[in-house]
Amino acid sequence: MNPISNSPVKERMRLENENQAKAQETQIRNRLNSQLASSTAKSKYPATPFLVGGGIVGVLLAVCQLGLDFVLYGLIAGLIVWGCANIYVSSSNKNLEQSKQAMKDKAEADIRQAYSDADARTTRQIEQYDMEVSAYSKKVLQQGSKLDPMVQRVTDMFQRMVSHADAGSHMKFVEADFTFIVKLDGISFQYQSSYTNPQDDYSFNRERFRDLGSQAECEGLAQALAKMVKKKMKGLYPANSINISLSHTDAEVTLHFKGANANFVPAQNIV
């Protein structure tokens, strides 16, 4: 599975499963190397001693005046044994090479299966995570007025960002990016320069909410807040006078504000 660039949470899932697969690959390759090391080929000329031995016996018999024919018989016997043994060894070594190749093929198949299983686990975990995010987001949206103070706080911070945007007479539109990040214990805000101020953070404990229990809940709350804040911001301006788009990376949401600039003055010719 390719790296997941748009979600650190999901990328951690992928990396964890991939590392497990890598560990399995190492075990499989070590086992294969051990098996291959213990599988050695037989000597190519195992019957040479028989050939030499037959010749020696024949010479000895000839020396003992038993006749030169015994030398020939000894050599022939040695050659026959040598040839049969080499045929056996050649066949045995061929079978051994086939067995080694089968070991290698099985090891590669097991490795591919390990990575395939890792990708399947990642896919299941991501699907489960997305379901949990969606379910929590829906629960948040059903809370109604209970979360009004939280929504108002995020909206106030958004408006503060817009108020600091360039609204000079040369700007036809006022544009600003506002980022908030939902964490287990609260909400932090990030400004266009990536500057953050912990004093601006929304603390769940201080506002008497329990901490969230998982990253899925953080992202679910972030998604719900983005919808509620967007709706509230649009209600503060004349209809169709602003546009708010959003993007997010897990529980980090960026809202882009674009609205007509009341201070804008069209350019005019010098002469």
mmCIF file of all heavy atoms in Angstrom, residues 3 28 42 50 52 56 85 111 114 120-121 123 132 143 146 155 161 195 198 208 214-215 219 222 230 234 247:
data_model
loop_
_atom_site.group_PDB
_atom_site.id
_atom_site.type_symbol
_atom_site.label_atom_id
_atom_site.label_comp_id
_atom_site.label_asym_id
_atom_site.label_seq_id
_atom_site.Cartn_x
_atom_site.Cartn_y
_atom_site.Cartn_z
ATOM 1 N N PRO A 3 2.109 5.131 0.688
ATOM 2 C CA PRO A 3 1.983 5.995 1.873
ATOM 3 C C PRO A 3 0.737 6.863 1.797
ATOM 4 O O PRO A 3 0.322 7.296 0.719
ATOM 5 C CB PRO A 3 3.260 6.849 1.809
ATOM 6 C CG PRO A 3 4.237 5.991 1.073
ATOM 7 C CD PRO A 3 3.428 5.250 0.047
ATOM 8 N N ILE A 28 10.986 -15.129 7.650
ATOM 9 C CA ILE A 28 10.865 -16.073 6.525
ATOM 10 C C ILE A 28 12.196 -16.226 5.808
ATOM 11 O O ILE A 28 12.623 -17.336 5.470
ATOM 12 C CB ILE A 28 9.772 -15.594 5.544
ATOM 13 C CG1 ILE A 28 8.391 -15.687 6.203
ATOM 14 C CG2 ILE A 28 9.796 -16.424 4.259
ATOM 15 C CD1 ILE A 28 7.283 -15.015 5.417
ATOM 16 N N LYS A 42 25.338 -33.558 -3.572
ATOM 17 C CA LYS A 42 26.225 -34.705 -3.447
ATOM 18 C C LYS A 42 27.438 -34.527 -4.371
ATOM 19 O O LYS A 42 27.376 -33.798 -5.364
ATOM 20 C CB LYS A 42 25.478 -36.000 -3.799
ATOM 21 C CG LYS A 42 24.334 -36.325 -2.841
ATOM 22 C CD LYS A 42 23.683 -37.628 -3.222
ATOM 23 C CE LYS A 42 22.505 -37.941 -2.297
ATOM 24 N NZ LYS A 42 22.927 -38.090 -0.896
ATOM 25 N N PHE A 50 35.570 -46.534 -6.238
ATOM 26 C CA PHE A 50 35.257 -47.883 -6.735
ATOM 27 C C PHE A 50 36.085 -48.198 -7.974
ATOM 28 O O PHE A 50 36.583 -49.306 -8.148
ATOM 29 C CB PHE A 50 33.766 -47.997 -7.067
ATOM 30 C CG PHE A 50 32.894 -47.967 -5.841
ATOM 31 C CD1 PHE A 50 32.294 -46.799 -5.455
ATOM 32 C CD2 PHE A 50 32.679 -49.114 -5.088
ATOM 33 C CE1 PHE A 50 31.484 -46.759 -4.343
ATOM 34 C CE2 PHE A 50 31.870 -49.080 -3.959
ATOM 35 C CZ PHE A 50 31.274 -47.904 -3.581
ATOM 36 N N VAL A 52 39.010 -46.850 -8.874
ATOM 37 C CA VAL A 52 40.403 -47.025 -8.476
ATOM 38 C C VAL A 52 40.583 -48.363 -7.758
ATOM 39 O O VAL A 52 41.536 -49.114 -7.997
ATOM 40 C CB VAL A 52 40.856 -45.857 -7.573
ATOM 41 C CG1 VAL A 52 42.275 -46.105 -7.052
ATOM 42 C CG2 VAL A 52 40.799 -44.554 -8.350
ATOM 43 N N ILE A 56 43.001 -51.501 -8.746
ATOM 44 C CA ILE A 56 44.032 -52.006 -7.825
ATOM 45 C C ILE A 56 43.866 -53.501 -7.600
ATOM 46 O O ILE A 56 44.845 -54.270 -7.622
ATOM 47 C CB ILE A 56 43.972 -51.242 -6.496
ATOM 48 C CG1 ILE A 56 44.425 -49.783 -6.718
ATOM 49 C CG2 ILE A 56 44.856 -51.914 -5.447
ATOM 50 C CD1 ILE A 56 44.268 -48.910 -5.497
ATOM 51 N N ALA A 85 26.627 -44.829 -10.185
ATOM 52 C CA ALA A 85 26.584 -43.906 -9.049
ATOM 53 C C ALA A 85 26.429 -42.469 -9.509
ATOM 54 O O ALA A 85 25.695 -41.676 -8.912
ATOM 55 C CB ALA A 85 27.849 -44.064 -8.204
ATOM 56 N N ILE A 111 6.011 -14.193 1.763
ATOM 57 C CA ILE A 111 6.322 -12.769 1.974
ATOM 58 C C ILE A 111 5.261 -11.890 1.325
ATOM 59 O O ILE A 111 4.780 -10.922 1.926
ATOM 60 C CB ILE A 111 7.725 -12.445 1.422
ATOM 61 C CG1 ILE A 111 8.793 -13.101 2.293
ATOM 62 C CG2 ILE A 111 7.936 -10.932 1.348
ATOM 63 C CD1 ILE A 111 10.182 -13.047 1.706
ATOM 64 N N ALA A 114 2.256 -11.933 3.421
ATOM 65 C CA ALA A 114 2.404 -11.135 4.643
ATOM 66 C C ALA A 114 2.085 -9.669 4.371
ATOM 67 O O ALA A 114 1.388 -9.009 5.150
ATOM 68 C CB ALA A 114 3.819 -11.278 5.197
ATOM 69 N N ALA A 120 -4.527 -5.497 3.947
ATOM 70 C CA ALA A 120 -5.927 -5.791 4.267
ATOM 71 C C ALA A 120 -6.279 -5.306 5.676
ATOM 72 O O ALA A 120 -7.364 -4.757 5.899
ATOM 73 C CB ALA A 120 -6.188 -7.300 4.145
ATOM 74 N N ARG A 121 -5.346 -5.500 6.627
ATOM 75 C CA ARG A 121 -5.592 -5.011 8.000
ATOM 76 C C ARG A 121 -5.707 -3.493 8.009
ATOM 77 O O ARG A 121 -6.577 -2.929 8.686
ATOM 78 C CB ARG A 121 -4.461 -5.455 8.933
ATOM 79 C CG ARG A 121 -4.501 -6.893 9.354
ATOM 80 C CD ARG A 121 -3.615 -7.148 10.566
ATOM 81 N NE ARG A 121 -2.228 -6.765 10.322
ATOM 82 C CZ ARG A 121 -1.318 -7.551 9.760
ATOM 83 N NH1 ARG A 121 -1.666 -8.770 9.359
ATOM 84 N NH2 ARG A 121 -0.080 -7.138 9.597
ATOM 85 N N THR A 123 -6.642 -1.530 5.566
ATOM 86 C CA THR A 123 -7.924 -1.153 4.952
ATOM 87 C C THR A 123 -9.074 -1.309 5.935
ATOM 88 O O THR A 123 -9.927 -0.427 6.063
ATOM 89 C CB THR A 123 -8.183 -2.018 3.698
ATOM 90 O OG1 THR A 123 -7.145 -1.791 2.734
ATOM 91 C CG2 THR A 123 -9.525 -1.662 3.068
ATOM 92 N N GLU A 132 -16.220 5.300 12.867
ATOM 93 C CA GLU A 132 -16.247 5.889 14.208
ATOM 94 C C GLU A 132 -16.277 7.414 14.131
ATOM 95 O O GLU A 132 -16.977 8.071 14.909
ATOM 96 C CB GLU A 132 -15.030 5.416 14.999
ATOM 97 C CG GLU A 132 -15.062 3.936 15.345
ATOM 98 C CD GLU A 132 -13.782 3.467 16.020
ATOM 99 O OE1 GLU A 132 -12.922 4.334 16.308
ATOM 100 O OE2 GLU A 132 -13.634 2.251 16.247
ATOM 101 N N GLN A 143 -26.410 17.405 19.496
ATOM 102 C CA GLN A 143 -26.389 17.960 20.846
ATOM 103 C C GLN A 143 -27.095 19.310 20.958
ATOM 104 O O GLN A 143 -27.403 19.770 22.049
ATOM 105 C CB GLN A 143 -24.944 18.096 21.339
ATOM 106 C CG GLN A 143 -24.236 16.761 21.525
ATOM 107 C CD GLN A 143 -24.994 15.844 22.480
ATOM 108 O OE1 GLN A 143 -25.277 16.205 23.619
ATOM 109 N NE2 GLN A 143 -25.326 14.656 21.996
ATOM 110 N N LYS A 146 -26.376 22.580 23.600
ATOM 111 C CA LYS A 146 -25.376 22.194 24.588
ATOM 112 C C LYS A 146 -23.973 22.647 24.178
ATOM 113 O O LYS A 146 -23.156 23.007 25.033
ATOM 114 C CB LYS A 146 -25.399 20.669 24.779
ATOM 115 C CG LYS A 146 -24.358 20.146 25.755
ATOM 116 C CD LYS A 146 -24.454 18.634 25.860
ATOM 117 C CE LYS A 146 -23.400 18.073 26.797
ATOM 118 N NZ LYS A 146 -23.485 16.597 26.906
ATOM 119 N N THR A 155 -16.080 30.375 16.588
ATOM 120 C CA THR A 155 -16.520 31.418 15.661
ATOM 121 C C THR A 155 -15.861 32.759 15.987
ATOM 122 O O THR A 155 -15.435 33.493 15.081
ATOM 123 C CB THR A 155 -18.048 31.570 15.713
ATOM 124 O OG1 THR A 155 -18.668 30.307 15.423
ATOM 125 C CG2 THR A 155 -18.535 32.608 14.700
ATOM 126 N N MET A 161 -9.577 36.336 13.229
ATOM 127 C CA MET A 161 -8.662 36.141 12.109
ATOM 128 C C MET A 161 -9.073 36.995 10.916
ATOM 129 O O MET A 161 -8.238 37.641 10.273
ATOM 130 C CB MET A 161 -8.633 34.660 11.714
ATOM 131 C CG MET A 161 -7.780 34.369 10.483
ATOM 132 S SD MET A 161 -6.055 34.804 10.685
ATOM 133 C CE MET A 161 -5.572 33.598 11.903
ATOM 134 N N TYR A 195 1.483 30.714 13.839
ATOM 135 C CA TYR A 195 1.614 31.121 15.253
ATOM 136 C C TYR A 195 0.432 30.582 16.048
ATOM 137 O O TYR A 195 -0.706 30.588 15.582
ATOM 138 C CB TYR A 195 1.660 32.649 15.340
ATOM 139 C CG TYR A 195 1.460 33.193 16.738
ATOM 140 C CD1 TYR A 195 2.499 33.173 17.668
ATOM 141 C CD2 TYR A 195 0.226 33.720 17.126
ATOM 142 C CE1 TYR A 195 2.315 33.675 18.952
ATOM 143 C CE2 TYR A 195 0.048 34.226 18.406
ATOM 144 C CZ TYR A 195 1.089 34.200 19.315
ATOM 145 O OH TYR A 195 0.904 34.688 20.581
ATOM 146 N N PRO A 198 -1.213 29.436 23.386
ATOM 147 C CA PRO A 198 -1.905 28.514 24.302
ATOM 148 C C PRO A 198 -2.981 29.186 25.144
ATOM 149 O O PRO A 198 -3.941 28.525 25.570
ATOM 150 C CB PRO A 198 -0.770 27.977 25.175
ATOM 151 C CG PRO A 198 0.465 28.120 24.325
ATOM 152 C CD PRO A 198 0.249 29.373 23.535
ATOM 153 N N ARG A 208 -15.601 22.477 31.533
ATOM 154 C CA ARG A 208 -16.354 21.390 32.168
ATOM 155 C C ARG A 208 -16.895 20.358 31.194
ATOM 156 O O ARG A 208 -18.030 19.890 31.310
ATOM 157 C CB ARG A 208 -17.478 21.934 33.066
ATOM 158 C CG ARG A 208 -17.038 22.940 34.112
ATOM 159 C CD ARG A 208 -15.771 22.497 34.889
ATOM 160 N NE ARG A 208 -15.977 21.216 35.586
ATOM 161 C CZ ARG A 208 -15.062 20.248 35.624
ATOM 162 N NH1 ARG A 208 -13.902 20.383 34.994
ATOM 163 N NH2 ARG A 208 -15.320 19.139 36.273
ATOM 164 N N SER A 214 -10.521 9.255 21.892
ATOM 165 C CA SER A 214 -9.760 8.686 20.781
ATOM 166 C C SER A 214 -9.554 9.723 19.689
ATOM 167 O O SER A 214 -10.214 10.770 19.666
ATOM 168 C CB SER A 214 -10.497 7.477 20.192
ATOM 169 O OG SER A 214 -11.712 7.903 19.569
ATOM 170 N N GLN A 215 -8.651 9.406 18.759
ATOM 171 C CA GLN A 215 -8.429 10.290 17.615
ATOM 172 C C GLN A 215 -9.659 10.345 16.714
ATOM 173 O O GLN A 215 -9.939 11.361 16.084
ATOM 174 C CB GLN A 215 -7.219 9.806 16.808
ATOM 175 C CG GLN A 215 -5.881 10.054 17.503
ATOM 176 C CD GLN A 215 -5.622 11.529 17.761
ATOM 177 O OE1 GLN A 215 -5.873 12.383 16.919
ATOM 178 N NE2 GLN A 215 -5.135 11.843 18.952
ATOM 179 N N GLU A 219 -11.486 13.804 15.454
ATOM 180 C CA GLU A 219 -11.830 14.158 14.069
ATOM 181 C C GLU A 219 -13.336 14.309 13.895
ATOM 182 O O GLU A 219 -13.803 15.177 13.150
ATOM 183 C CB GLU A 219 -11.287 13.111 13.095
ATOM 184 C CG GLU A 219 -11.508 13.496 11.639
ATOM 185 C CD GLU A 219 -10.782 12.614 10.651
ATOM 186 O OE1 GLU A 219 -9.873 11.861 11.054
ATOM 187 O OE2 GLU A 219 -11.122 12.689 9.446
ATOM 188 N N ALA A 222 -14.194 17.667 15.206
ATOM 189 C CA ALA A 222 -13.675 18.681 14.287
ATOM 190 C C ALA A 222 -14.589 18.850 13.078
ATOM 191 O O ALA A 222 -14.884 19.978 12.648
ATOM 192 C CB ALA A 222 -12.268 18.301 13.835
ATOM 193 N N LYS A 230 -19.188 27.184 10.224
ATOM 194 C CA LYS A 230 -19.426 27.705 8.881
ATOM 195 C C LYS A 230 -20.840 28.283 8.770
ATOM 196 O O LYS A 230 -21.051 29.382 8.231
ATOM 197 C CB LYS A 230 -19.232 26.585 7.851
ATOM 198 C CG LYS A 230 -19.415 27.014 6.407
ATOM 199 C CD LYS A 230 -19.129 25.848 5.469
ATOM 200 C CE LYS A 230 -19.340 26.258 4.006
ATOM 201 N NZ LYS A 230 -19.047 25.140 3.078
ATOM 202 N N LYS A 234 -21.753 32.378 8.304
ATOM 203 C CA LYS A 234 -22.557 32.867 7.183
ATOM 204 C C LYS A 234 -23.762 33.659 7.663
ATOM 205 O O LYS A 234 -24.240 34.572 6.968
ATOM 206 C CB LYS A 234 -23.005 31.684 6.306
ATOM 207 C CG LYS A 234 -21.891 31.129 5.435
ATOM 208 C CD LYS A 234 -22.434 30.205 4.358
ATOM 209 C CE LYS A 234 -21.360 29.858 3.343
ATOM 210 N NZ LYS A 234 -21.871 29.065 2.216
ATOM 211 N N SER A 247 -10.969 22.572 4.361
ATOM 212 C CA SER A 247 -10.164 21.375 4.115
ATOM 213 C C SER A 247 -9.728 20.861 5.477
ATOM 214 O O SER A 247 -9.739 21.596 6.462
ATOM 215 C CB SER A 247 -8.950 21.698 3.241
ATOM 216 O OG SER A 247 -8.117 22.647 3.877
#
